[in-house]
Amino acid sequence: MRGLDDTDREIVRLLLADSRRPFSDIAEEVGLSAPAVSDRVDRLREMGVVRGFTLDLDRSLLRSGVPVLLEIDAEPGRATAVRDALAGADAVEHVFRTADGRVTATATVPQTEVTELLDTHVDLADVDGYEVRLVADSEWSPGLGTAEFAPECAECGNTVDEEGERTVLDGDTYYFCCGSCESRFVERYESLKEGA
Amino acid sequence: MRGLDDTDREIVRLLLADSRRPFSDIAEEVGLSAPAVSDRVDRLREMGVVRGFTLDLDRSLLRSGVPVLLEIDAEPGRATAVRDALAGADAVEHVFRTADGRVTATATVPQTEVTELLDTHVDLADVDGYEVRLVADSEWSPGLGTAEFAPECAECGNTVDEEGERTVLDGDTYYFCCGSCESRFVERYESLKEGA
DNA sequence: CCTGAAAACAACAGTAA
DNA sequence: TTACTGTTGTTTTCAGG
């Protein structure tokens, strides 16, 4: 399995700054041909590193309600359930789940109808307590740093290095640290699918 | 001053889902010609609603350190200073300032060297206290809802409606609720500039 | 990963509503 | 001011090496 090289990182950095920049332009910048850049971008999308091309919007200019920051302390083991419930809500933009079982989310709600948002989307039995703060402003600086490509093994959770494997199952990409983790996962996946 | 109509919203929605989608394609979707879409996108950028075209990256696949969530309680009146200091740091991706004087930020730091990040970028005299949480996972669902274009008046802070004005000063766009707010602001701006 | 050709696209001008 | 048509130069994509 191949990771990211410096050229990949440079391409990502350039597209992060302007995703509509012509590949031919980027090609010149990184010393490649346009088709080569196109191929690399395709690969990055397949790898799942690049999820898509999108816009950076200034939401402070758009009024569709009141922007709020939600801090929810989930009941033990229910943080991922709360995260999923929130992520499914239209009004919610960001969801961060932290290791201490808290879910922090940003949303824009009609008035201060946050209670309603929680009520309709989140099972309140999952929630230990929560706080709501009004967002005054927010910034986003998409950067890359010296990022390495290092997914987690879908089977054992270890970091996957260059020796790892990649498998696409029903359109989703999974990474594995070794062949045995891969076959174990695929086997389990197949039998679960058969049962369903 | 013109706001956003349904066509603008539809264009933004389509570009949000795929910012590399050809304008000709979008044109067909919204029932306009390609140059008309191009004009509208230019206008949206001028208005500041669209800040730019970028990528949606899956940072969980990229290891460049430990992702953390920072919660900083700023000293009274120092929240914007803390926000600016953090936003300027390379490792910081999101910064949310809430009305209660708290700054919540996400960052990816080499190890758990968060203290260093705060030390080098933020004036500790501005900070009353802070907490650090390890981010387990995060999601982003860029959506638009039924957003209205409604910036704040740069002079009085009121919401600017269709009757408002727009002025570009040294490349920055400012919105005003009325002509008198505008002239007051511009006058002050000019005299400040002259003094400097 | 390259080159070269064909198709698709964006940008510009001029014009009409 | 906004959008349309037609033209031009780029850009993307595809084939073959």
Side-chain angles (χ1 to χ4, degrees), chain A residues 95-100 102 147-148 150 152 159, chain B residues 57-71 90-94 105-114 117 131-139:
Chain A
V95 185
F96 304 101
R97 179 175 70 89
T98 45
D100 51 357
R102 172 177 281 207
E148 290 285 323
E152 283 182 11
T159 298
Chain B
L57 289 185
D58 185 347
R59 283 158 204 281
S60 70
L61 294 177
L62 300 169
R63 175 190 49 195
S64 56
V66 184
V68 292
L69 188 84
L70 292 165
E71 293 172 357
D90 242 15
V92 173
E93 191 184 358
H94 291 283
T106 62
T108 309
V109 289
Q111 286 292 343
T112 29
E113 297 166 7
V114 183
L117 172 72
E131 263 198 80
V132 180
R133 300 170 197 275
L134 288 176
V135 174
D137 51 54
S138 69
E139 297 205 28

mmCIF file of all heavy atoms in Angstrom, chain A residues 95-100 102 147-148 150 152 159, chain B residues 57-71 90-94 105-114 117 131-139:
data_model
loop_
_atom_site.group_PDB
_atom_site.id
_atom_site.type_symbol
_atom_site.label_atom_id
_atom_site.label_comp_id
_atom_site.label_asym_id
_atom_site.label_seq_id
_atom_site.Cartn_x
_atom_site.Cartn_y
_atom_site.Cartn_z
ATOM 1 N N VAL A 95 -19.296 18.203 14.530
ATOM 2 C CA VAL A 95 -19.423 17.377 15.729
ATOM 3 C C VAL A 95 -18.042 16.868 16.109
ATOM 4 O O VAL A 95 -17.353 16.268 15.283
ATOM 5 C CB VAL A 95 -20.353 16.164 15.496
ATOM 6 C CG1 VAL A 95 -20.551 15.413 16.805
ATOM 7 C CG2 VAL A 95 -21.696 16.595 14.926
ATOM 8 N N PHE A 96 -17.626 17.136 17.343
ATOM 9 C CA PHE A 96 -16.359 16.615 17.852
ATOM 10 C C PHE A 96 -16.649 15.707 19.038
ATOM 11 O O PHE A 96 -17.284 16.120 20.000
ATOM 12 C CB PHE A 96 -15.447 17.757 18.321
ATOM 13 C CG PHE A 96 -15.183 18.800 17.263
ATOM 14 C CD1 PHE A 96 -15.874 20.003 17.271
ATOM 15 C CD2 PHE A 96 -14.248 18.568 16.262
ATOM 16 C CE1 PHE A 96 -15.628 20.969 16.291
ATOM 17 C CE2 PHE A 96 -14.001 19.532 15.290
ATOM 18 C CZ PHE A 96 -14.690 20.735 15.302
ATOM 19 N N ARG A 97 -16.173 14.493 18.966
ATOM 20 C CA ARG A 97 -16.313 13.603 20.118
ATOM 21 C C ARG A 97 -14.945 13.490 20.767
ATOM 22 O O ARG A 97 -13.960 13.191 20.093
ATOM 23 C CB ARG A 97 -16.778 12.212 19.669
ATOM 24 C CG ARG A 97 -16.918 11.223 20.822
ATOM 25 C CD ARG A 97 -17.496 9.909 20.357
ATOM 26 N NE ARG A 97 -16.568 9.150 19.534
ATOM 27 C CZ ARG A 97 -15.679 8.274 20.010
ATOM 28 N NH1 ARG A 97 -15.599 8.056 21.309
ATOM 29 N NH2 ARG A 97 -14.867 7.626 19.199
ATOM 30 N N THR A 98 -14.894 13.768 22.053
ATOM 31 C CA THR A 98 -13.598 13.679 22.728
ATOM 32 C C THR A 98 -13.526 12.436 23.595
ATOM 33 O O THR A 98 -14.558 11.836 23.934
ATOM 34 C CB THR A 98 -13.315 14.946 23.569
ATOM 35 O OG1 THR A 98 -14.482 15.291 24.313
ATOM 36 C CG2 THR A 98 -12.958 16.099 22.663
ATOM 37 N N ALA A 99 -12.302 12.060 23.923
ATOM 38 C CA ALA A 99 -12.042 10.790 24.585
ATOM 39 C C ALA A 99 -12.724 10.678 25.948
ATOM 40 O O ALA A 99 -12.957 9.583 26.445
ATOM 41 C CB ALA A 99 -10.539 10.584 24.731
ATOM 42 N N ASP A 100 -13.063 11.819 26.531
ATOM 43 C CA ASP A 100 -13.670 11.801 27.859
ATOM 44 C C ASP A 100 -15.191 11.673 27.803
ATOM 45 O O ASP A 100 -15.875 11.958 28.786
ATOM 46 C CB ASP A 100 -13.265 13.065 28.634
ATOM 47 C CG ASP A 100 -13.519 14.324 27.817
ATOM 48 O OD1 ASP A 100 -13.943 14.190 26.651
ATOM 49 O OD2 ASP A 100 -13.305 15.429 28.332
ATOM 50 N N ARG A 102 -17.352 13.298 25.925
ATOM 51 C CA ARG A 102 -18.120 14.507 25.666
ATOM 52 C C ARG A 102 -18.276 14.699 24.161
ATOM 53 O O ARG A 102 -17.413 14.330 23.371
ATOM 54 C CB ARG A 102 -17.408 15.719 26.271
ATOM 55 C CG ARG A 102 -18.058 17.029 25.854
ATOM 56 C CD ARG A 102 -17.407 18.206 26.497
ATOM 57 N NE ARG A 102 -17.863 18.378 27.863
ATOM 58 C CZ ARG A 102 -17.870 19.567 28.473
ATOM 59 N NH1 ARG A 102 -17.440 20.629 27.860
ATOM 60 N NH2 ARG A 102 -18.293 19.652 29.719
ATOM 61 N N ALA A 147 1.495 16.326 7.610
ATOM 62 C CA ALA A 147 0.667 15.144 7.780
ATOM 63 C C ALA A 147 1.191 13.892 7.076
ATOM 64 O O ALA A 147 1.605 13.934 5.931
ATOM 65 C CB ALA A 147 -0.735 15.445 7.294
ATOM 66 N N GLU A 148 1.141 12.802 7.798
ATOM 67 C CA GLU A 148 1.449 11.486 7.255
ATOM 68 C C GLU A 148 0.151 10.751 7.029
ATOM 69 O O GLU A 148 -0.811 10.947 7.773
ATOM 70 C CB GLU A 148 2.268 10.676 8.269
ATOM 71 C CG GLU A 148 3.675 11.172 8.485
ATOM 72 C CD GLU A 148 4.555 10.807 7.314
ATOM 73 O OE1 GLU A 148 4.377 9.708 6.766
ATOM 74 O OE2 GLU A 148 5.392 11.641 6.947
ATOM 75 N N ALA A 150 -1.823 7.790 7.755
ATOM 76 C CA ALA A 150 -1.723 6.734 8.758
ATOM 77 C C ALA A 150 -3.091 6.376 9.305
ATOM 78 O O ALA A 150 -3.460 6.762 10.402
ATOM 79 C CB ALA A 150 -0.797 7.176 9.885
ATOM 80 N N GLU A 152 -6.204 3.914 10.759
ATOM 81 C CA GLU A 152 -6.234 2.854 11.769
ATOM 82 C C GLU A 152 -6.722 1.561 11.150
ATOM 83 O O GLU A 152 -7.610 1.568 10.302
ATOM 84 C CB GLU A 152 -7.189 3.248 12.898
ATOM 85 C CG GLU A 152 -6.605 4.254 13.849
ATOM 86 C CD GLU A 152 -7.556 4.591 14.986
ATOM 87 O OE1 GLU A 152 -8.580 3.876 15.122
ATOM 88 O OE2 GLU A 152 -7.298 5.567 15.706
ATOM 89 N N THR A 159 -2.114 1.467 14.126
ATOM 90 C CA THR A 159 -1.816 2.345 13.007
ATOM 91 C C THR A 159 -1.315 1.528 11.824
ATOM 92 O O THR A 159 -0.502 0.615 11.988
ATOM 93 C CB THR A 159 -0.743 3.374 13.415
ATOM 94 O OG1 THR A 159 -1.266 4.173 14.469
ATOM 95 C CG2 THR A 159 -0.381 4.264 12.244
ATOM 96 N N LEU B 57 -11.165 17.288 3.840
ATOM 97 C CA LEU B 57 -10.183 16.240 4.097
ATOM 98 C C LEU B 57 -10.629 15.342 5.245
ATOM 99 O O LEU B 57 -11.256 15.801 6.192
ATOM 100 C CB LEU B 57 -8.836 16.849 4.496
ATOM 101 C CG LEU B 57 -8.009 17.568 3.441
ATOM 102 C CD1 LEU B 57 -6.672 17.962 4.047
ATOM 103 C CD2 LEU B 57 -7.800 16.696 2.224
ATOM 104 N N ASP B 58 -10.281 14.072 5.160
ATOM 105 C CA ASP B 58 -10.483 13.169 6.284
ATOM 106 C C ASP B 58 -9.205 13.150 7.112
ATOM 107 O O ASP B 58 -8.281 12.412 6.822
ATOM 108 C CB ASP B 58 -10.824 11.765 5.787
ATOM 109 C CG ASP B 58 -11.165 10.832 6.938
ATOM 110 O OD1 ASP B 58 -10.894 11.202 8.099
ATOM 111 O OD2 ASP B 58 -11.706 9.755 6.676
ATOM 112 N N ARG B 59 -9.189 13.993 8.148
ATOM 113 C CA ARG B 59 -7.965 14.139 8.928
ATOM 114 C C ARG B 59 -7.695 12.952 9.830
ATOM 115 O O ARG B 59 -6.592 12.809 10.363
ATOM 116 C CB ARG B 59 -8.026 15.422 9.757
ATOM 117 C CG ARG B 59 -7.751 16.640 8.910
ATOM 118 C CD ARG B 59 -8.305 17.901 9.511
ATOM 119 N NE ARG B 59 -8.522 18.891 8.471
ATOM 120 C CZ ARG B 59 -7.553 19.631 7.949
ATOM 121 N NH1 ARG B 59 -6.328 19.493 8.356
ATOM 122 N NH2 ARG B 59 -7.829 20.498 6.996
ATOM 123 N N SER B 60 -8.692 12.100 9.996
ATOM 124 C CA SER B 60 -8.463 10.929 10.849
ATOM 125 C C SER B 60 -7.500 9.965 10.158
ATOM 126 O O SER B 60 -6.894 9.118 10.799
ATOM 127 C CB SER B 60 -9.785 10.228 11.154
ATOM 128 O OG SER B 60 -10.297 9.604 9.999
ATOM 129 N N LEU B 61 -7.376 10.119 8.831
ATOM 130 C CA LEU B 61 -6.448 9.254 8.093
ATOM 131 C C LEU B 61 -5.045 9.842 8.067
ATOM 132 O O LEU B 61 -4.107 9.205 7.626
ATOM 133 C CB LEU B 61 -6.937 9.049 6.653
ATOM 134 C CG LEU B 61 -8.244 8.289 6.465
ATOM 135 C CD1 LEU B 61 -8.605 8.243 4.997
ATOM 136 C CD2 LEU B 61 -8.104 6.877 6.995
ATOM 137 N N LEU B 62 -4.933 11.090 8.505
ATOM 138 C CA LEU B 62 -3.646 11.774 8.456
ATOM 139 C C LEU B 62 -3.095 11.949 9.862
ATOM 140 O O LEU B 62 -3.743 12.544 10.701
ATOM 141 C CB LEU B 62 -3.810 13.145 7.786
ATOM 142 C CG LEU B 62 -4.323 13.130 6.353
ATOM 143 C CD1 LEU B 62 -4.680 14.530 5.916
ATOM 144 C CD2 LEU B 62 -3.288 12.524 5.433
ATOM 145 N N ARG B 63 -1.921 11.421 10.064
ATOM 146 C CA ARG B 63 -1.332 11.584 11.383
ATOM 147 C C ARG B 63 -0.280 12.681 11.352
ATOM 148 O O ARG B 63 0.746 12.552 10.732
ATOM 149 C CB ARG B 63 -0.679 10.291 11.843
ATOM 150 C CG ARG B 63 0.062 10.435 13.171
ATOM 151 C CD ARG B 63 0.872 9.191 13.437
ATOM 152 N NE ARG B 63 1.655 8.837 12.252
ATOM 153 C CZ ARG B 63 2.240 7.671 12.077
ATOM 154 N NH1 ARG B 63 2.125 6.734 12.978
ATOM 155 N NH2 ARG B 63 2.956 7.424 10.993
ATOM 156 N N SER B 64 -0.562 13.794 11.958
ATOM 157 C CA SER B 64 0.462 14.829 12.065
ATOM 158 C C SER B 64 0.520 15.270 13.513
ATOM 159 O O SER B 64 0.945 16.346 13.846
ATOM 160 C CB SER B 64 0.144 16.003 11.140
ATOM 161 O OG SER B 64 -1.125 16.519 11.423
ATOM 162 N N GLY B 65 0.060 14.399 14.391
ATOM 163 C CA GLY B 65 0.063 14.702 15.814
ATOM 164 C C GLY B 65 -1.215 14.223 16.460
ATOM 165 O O GLY B 65 -1.912 13.369 15.921
ATOM 166 N N VAL B 66 -1.521 14.784 17.594
ATOM 167 C CA VAL B 66 -2.708 14.390 18.345
ATOM 168 C C VAL B 66 -3.773 15.462 18.189
ATOM 169 O O VAL B 66 -3.512 16.640 18.429
ATOM 170 C CB VAL B 66 -2.366 14.217 19.838
ATOM 171 C CG1 VAL B 66 -3.562 13.714 20.605
ATOM 172 C CG2 VAL B 66 -1.172 13.296 20.007
ATOM 173 N N PRO B 67 -4.968 15.088 17.758
ATOM 174 C CA PRO B 67 -6.026 16.083 17.642
ATOM 175 C C PRO B 67 -6.613 16.413 19.010
ATOM 176 O O PRO B 67 -6.971 15.506 19.762
ATOM 177 C CB PRO B 67 -7.058 15.395 16.749
ATOM 178 C CG PRO B 67 -6.821 13.937 16.915
ATOM 179 C CD PRO B 67 -5.406 13.741 17.362
ATOM 180 N N VAL B 68 -6.669 17.676 19.327
ATOM 181 C CA VAL B 68 -7.191 18.086 20.634
ATOM 182 C C VAL B 68 -8.252 19.166 20.505
ATOM 183 O O VAL B 68 -8.312 19.883 19.501
ATOM 184 C CB VAL B 68 -6.067 18.631 21.552
ATOM 185 C CG1 VAL B 68 -5.106 17.532 21.952
ATOM 186 C CG2 VAL B 68 -5.340 19.788 20.882
ATOM 187 N N LEU B 69 -9.090 19.221 21.509
ATOM 188 C CA LEU B 69 -10.077 20.284 21.619
ATOM 189 C C LEU B 69 -9.672 21.152 22.803
ATOM 190 O O LEU B 69 -9.487 20.652 23.914
ATOM 191 C CB LEU B 69 -11.466 19.686 21.847
ATOM 192 C CG LEU B 69 -12.644 20.669 21.786
ATOM 193 C CD1 LEU B 69 -13.063 20.880 20.346
ATOM 194 C CD2 LEU B 69 -13.820 20.136 22.581
ATOM 195 N N LEU B 70 -9.514 22.445 22.555
ATOM 196 C CA LEU B 70 -9.091 23.368 23.606
ATOM 197 C C LEU B 70 -10.259 24.218 24.049
ATOM 198 O O LEU B 70 -10.986 24.761 23.218
ATOM 199 C CB LEU B 70 -8.012 24.314 23.067
ATOM 200 C CG LEU B 70 -6.660 23.719 22.725
ATOM 201 C CD1 LEU B 70 -5.861 24.698 21.872
ATOM 202 C CD2 LEU B 70 -5.918 23.408 24.014
ATOM 203 N N GLU B 71 -10.437 24.325 25.355
ATOM 204 C CA GLU B 71 -11.478 25.200 25.885
ATOM 205 C C GLU B 71 -10.806 26.234 26.766
ATOM 206 O O GLU B 71 -10.285 25.896 27.833
ATOM 207 C CB GLU B 71 -12.504 24.398 26.681
ATOM 208 C CG GLU B 71 -13.297 23.461 25.795
ATOM 209 C CD GLU B 71 -14.183 22.514 26.586
ATOM 210 O OE1 GLU B 71 -14.133 22.560 27.819
ATOM 211 O OE2 GLU B 71 -14.902 21.718 25.962
ATOM 212 N N ASP B 90 -0.408 27.655 13.244
ATOM 213 C CA ASP B 90 -0.473 26.668 12.171
ATOM 214 C C ASP B 90 -1.279 25.439 12.544
ATOM 215 O O ASP B 90 -2.048 24.922 11.742
ATOM 216 C CB ASP B 90 0.954 26.236 11.811
ATOM 217 C CG ASP B 90 1.292 26.597 10.377
ATOM 218 O OD1 ASP B 90 0.544 27.403 9.801
ATOM 219 O OD2 ASP B 90 2.280 26.068 9.848
ATOM 220 N N ALA B 91 -1.080 24.985 13.767
ATOM 221 C CA ALA B 91 -1.665 23.725 14.188
ATOM 222 C C ALA B 91 -3.173 23.825 14.427
ATOM 223 O O ALA B 91 -3.862 22.825 14.527
ATOM 224 C CB ALA B 91 -0.984 23.239 15.463
ATOM 225 N N VAL B 92 -3.681 25.047 14.495
ATOM 226 C CA VAL B 92 -5.086 25.260 14.831
ATOM 227 C C VAL B 92 -5.961 25.240 13.585
ATOM 228 O O VAL B 92 -5.639 25.893 12.592
ATOM 229 C CB VAL B 92 -5.262 26.599 15.577
ATOM 230 C CG1 VAL B 92 -6.734 26.905 15.785
ATOM 231 C CG2 VAL B 92 -4.531 26.553 16.905
ATOM 232 N N GLU B 93 -7.052 24.495 13.640
ATOM 233 C CA GLU B 93 -7.940 24.433 12.481
ATOM 234 C C GLU B 93 -9.199 25.273 12.697
ATOM 235 O O GLU B 93 -9.496 26.149 11.919
ATOM 236 C CB GLU B 93 -8.319 22.989 12.167
ATOM 237 C CG GLU B 93 -9.018 22.902 10.811
ATOM 238 C CD GLU B 93 -9.500 21.502 10.470
ATOM 239 O OE1 GLU B 93 -9.263 20.588 11.276
ATOM 240 O OE2 GLU B 93 -10.114 21.342 9.411
ATOM 241 N N HIS B 94 -9.936 24.990 13.777
ATOM 242 C CA HIS B 94 -11.159 25.740 14.043
ATOM 243 C C HIS B 94 -11.020 26.586 15.293
ATOM 244 O O HIS B 94 -10.390 26.156 16.260
ATOM 245 C CB HIS B 94 -12.342 24.801 14.274
ATOM 246 C CG HIS B 94 -12.768 24.076 13.046
ATOM 247 N ND1 HIS B 94 -13.512 24.663 12.053
ATOM 248 C CD2 HIS B 94 -12.543 22.816 12.643
ATOM 249 C CE1 HIS B 94 -13.727 23.785 11.105
ATOM 250 N NE2 HIS B 94 -13.160 22.653 11.436
ATOM 251 N N ALA B 105 -11.319 25.767 20.505
ATOM 252 C CA ALA B 105 -10.539 25.580 19.277
ATOM 253 C C ALA B 105 -10.169 24.119 19.101
ATOM 254 O O ALA B 105 -10.078 23.366 20.071
ATOM 255 C CB ALA B 105 -9.274 26.429 19.327
ATOM 256 N N THR B 106 -9.961 23.724 17.853
ATOM 257 C CA THR B 106 -9.433 22.392 17.586
ATOM 258 C C THR B 106 -8.063 22.556 16.948
ATOM 259 O O THR B 106 -7.843 23.462 16.156
ATOM 260 C CB THR B 106 -10.331 21.586 16.636
ATOM 261 O OG1 THR B 106 -10.391 22.265 15.377
ATOM 262 C CG2 THR B 106 -11.726 21.435 17.198
ATOM 263 N N ALA B 107 -7.160 21.671 17.321
ATOM 264 C CA ALA B 107 -5.806 21.751 16.797
ATOM 265 C C ALA B 107 -5.194 20.366 16.745
ATOM 266 O O ALA B 107 -5.696 19.427 17.377
ATOM 267 C CB ALA B 107 -4.954 22.654 17.681
ATOM 268 N N THR B 108 -4.142 20.236 15.979
ATOM 269 C CA THR B 108 -3.400 18.993 15.937
ATOM 270 C C THR B 108 -1.972 19.300 16.350
ATOM 271 O O THR B 108 -1.279 20.052 15.674
ATOM 272 C CB THR B 108 -3.426 18.379 14.527
ATOM 273 O OG1 THR B 108 -4.780 18.321 14.084
ATOM 274 C CG2 THR B 108 -2.839 16.992 14.536
ATOM 275 N N VAL B 109 -1.562 18.757 17.471
ATOM 276 C CA VAL B 109 -0.247 19.106 18.012
ATOM 277 C C VAL B 109 0.677 17.893 18.023
ATOM 278 O O VAL B 109 0.227 16.764 18.214
ATOM 279 C CB VAL B 109 -0.364 19.671 19.439
ATOM 280 C CG1 VAL B 109 -0.996 21.051 19.395
ATOM 281 C CG2 VAL B 109 -1.206 18.760 20.316
ATOM 282 N N PRO B 110 1.977 18.126 17.789
ATOM 283 C CA PRO B 110 2.995 17.068 17.664
ATOM 284 C C PRO B 110 2.830 15.934 18.656
ATOM 285 O O PRO B 110 2.733 14.800 18.262
ATOM 286 C CB PRO B 110 4.290 17.820 17.881
ATOM 287 C CG PRO B 110 4.011 19.165 17.307
ATOM 288 C CD PRO B 110 2.556 19.446 17.602
ATOM 289 N N GLN B 111 2.830 16.194 19.920
ATOM 290 C CA GLN B 111 2.543 15.129 20.881
ATOM 291 C C GLN B 111 1.341 15.591 21.680
ATOM 292 O O GLN B 111 0.298 15.773 21.104
ATOM 293 C CB GLN B 111 3.752 14.850 21.787
ATOM 294 C CG GLN B 111 4.864 14.095 21.084
ATOM 295 C CD GLN B 111 4.453 12.660 20.756
ATOM 296 O OE1 GLN B 111 3.488 12.141 21.305
ATOM 297 N NE2 GLN B 111 5.182 12.038 19.848
ATOM 298 N N THR B 112 1.503 15.754 22.962
ATOM 299 C CA THR B 112 0.460 16.447 23.699
ATOM 300 C C THR B 112 1.030 17.788 24.164
ATOM 301 O O THR B 112 0.779 18.247 25.256
ATOM 302 C CB THR B 112 -0.042 15.615 24.896
ATOM 303 O OG1 THR B 112 1.010 14.792 25.344
ATOM 304 C CG2 THR B 112 -1.237 14.765 24.521
ATOM 305 N N GLU B 113 1.790 18.387 23.244
ATOM 306 C CA GLU B 113 2.470 19.638 23.575
ATOM 307 C C GLU B 113 1.542 20.836 23.428
ATOM 308 O O GLU B 113 1.827 21.784 22.712
ATOM 309 C CB GLU B 113 3.687 19.834 22.673
ATOM 310 C CG GLU B 113 4.732 18.745 22.873
ATOM 311 C CD GLU B 113 5.758 18.743 21.752
ATOM 312 O OE1 GLU B 113 5.710 19.675 20.924
ATOM 313 O OE2 GLU B 113 6.581 17.830 21.718
ATOM 314 N N VAL B 114 0.424 20.761 24.106
ATOM 315 C CA VAL B 114 -0.554 21.830 24.004
ATOM 316 C C VAL B 114 -0.061 23.077 24.733
ATOM 317 O O VAL B 114 -0.236 24.198 24.275
ATOM 318 C CB VAL B 114 -1.903 21.401 24.593
ATOM 319 C CG1 VAL B 114 -2.928 22.498 24.427
ATOM 320 C CG2 VAL B 114 -2.367 20.125 23.929
ATOM 321 N N LEU B 117 1.922 25.155 22.565
ATOM 322 C CA LEU B 117 1.097 25.870 21.586
ATOM 323 C C LEU B 117 0.532 27.142 22.212
ATOM 324 O O LEU B 117 0.594 28.225 21.616
ATOM 325 C CB LEU B 117 -0.058 24.971 21.116
ATOM 326 C CG LEU B 117 -1.129 25.622 20.235
ATOM 327 C CD1 LEU B 117 -0.587 25.901 18.844
ATOM 328 C CD2 LEU B 117 -2.370 24.747 20.137
ATOM 329 N N GLU B 131 -8.935 24.006 29.398
ATOM 330 C CA GLU B 131 -9.006 22.562 29.466
ATOM 331 C C GLU B 131 -8.652 21.984 28.114
ATOM 332 O O GLU B 131 -8.923 22.596 27.080
ATOM 333 C CB GLU B 131 -10.423 22.120 29.842
ATOM 334 C CG GLU B 131 -10.583 21.830 31.320
ATOM 335 C CD GLU B 131 -11.822 21.011 31.577
ATOM 336 O OE1 GLU B 131 -11.770 19.780 31.382
ATOM 337 O OE2 GLU B 131 -12.851 21.604 31.956
ATOM 338 N N VAL B 132 -8.070 20.816 28.115
ATOM 339 C CA VAL B 132 -7.702 20.140 26.883
ATOM 340 C C VAL B 132 -8.375 18.782 26.842
ATOM 341 O O VAL B 132 -8.332 18.037 27.810
ATOM 342 C CB VAL B 132 -6.172 19.947 26.777
ATOM 343 C CG1 VAL B 132 -5.815 19.237 25.486
ATOM 344 C CG2 VAL B 132 -5.459 21.275 26.881
ATOM 345 N N ARG B 133 -9.014 18.476 25.737
ATOM 346 C CA ARG B 133 -9.644 17.169 25.574
ATOM 347 C C ARG B 133 -9.115 16.515 24.314
ATOM 348 O O ARG B 133 -8.958 17.192 23.297
ATOM 349 C CB ARG B 133 -11.169 17.315 25.457
ATOM 350 C CG ARG B 133 -11.810 17.967 26.667
ATOM 351 C CD ARG B 133 -13.263 18.292 26.373
ATOM 352 N NE ARG B 133 -13.774 19.259 27.341
ATOM 353 C CZ ARG B 133 -14.272 18.927 28.534
ATOM 354 N NH1 ARG B 133 -14.330 17.667 28.891
ATOM 355 N NH2 ARG B 133 -14.702 19.869 29.348
ATOM 356 N N LEU B 134 -8.875 15.226 24.346
ATOM 357 C CA LEU B 134 -8.424 14.503 23.166
ATOM 358 C C LEU B 134 -9.605 14.242 22.248
ATOM 359 O O LEU B 134 -10.635 13.722 22.685
ATOM 360 C CB LEU B 134 -7.791 13.164 23.554
ATOM 361 C CG LEU B 134 -6.420 13.241 24.227
ATOM 362 C CD1 LEU B 134 -5.967 11.840 24.631
ATOM 363 C CD2 LEU B 134 -5.412 13.865 23.269
ATOM 364 N N VAL B 135 -9.475 14.598 20.999
ATOM 365 C CA VAL B 135 -10.555 14.367 20.045
ATOM 366 C C VAL B 135 -10.508 12.926 19.558
ATOM 367 O O VAL B 135 -9.483 12.471 19.046
ATOM 368 C CB VAL B 135 -10.456 15.335 18.844
ATOM 369 C CG1 VAL B 135 -11.488 14.988 17.792
ATOM 370 C CG2 VAL B 135 -10.633 16.770 19.319
ATOM 371 N N ALA B 136 -11.603 12.218 19.730
ATOM 372 C CA ALA B 136 -11.675 10.832 19.273
ATOM 373 C C ALA B 136 -12.085 10.779 17.804
ATOM 374 O O ALA B 136 -11.526 10.040 17.009
ATOM 375 C CB ALA B 136 -12.657 10.040 20.130
ATOM 376 N N ASP B 137 -13.076 11.569 17.440
ATOM 377 C CA ASP B 137 -13.427 11.698 16.032
ATOM 378 C C ASP B 137 -14.224 12.970 15.815
ATOM 379 O O ASP B 137 -14.735 13.564 16.753
ATOM 380 C CB ASP B 137 -14.203 10.482 15.509
ATOM 381 C CG ASP B 137 -15.386 10.150 16.386
ATOM 382 O OD1 ASP B 137 -16.217 11.046 16.629
ATOM 383 O OD2 ASP B 137 -15.494 8.989 16.818
ATOM 384 N N SER B 138 -14.304 13.379 14.577
ATOM 385 C CA SER B 138 -15.049 14.596 14.268
ATOM 386 C C SER B 138 -15.721 14.464 12.912
ATOM 387 O O SER B 138 -15.258 13.756 12.042
ATOM 388 C CB SER B 138 -14.122 15.814 14.275
ATOM 389 O OG SER B 138 -13.233 15.744 13.191
ATOM 390 N N GLU B 139 -16.850 15.144 12.780
ATOM 391 C CA GLU B 139 -17.566 15.104 11.510
ATOM 392 C C GLU B 139 -17.892 16.506 11.059
ATOM 393 O O GLU B 139 -17.981 17.416 11.867
ATOM 394 C CB GLU B 139 -18.877 14.321 11.669
ATOM 395 C CG GLU B 139 -18.647 12.885 12.039
ATOM 396 C CD GLU B 139 -19.800 12.006 11.605
ATOM 397 O OE1 GLU B 139 -20.472 12.355 10.608
ATOM 398 O OE2 GLU B 139 -20.031 10.981 12.255
#
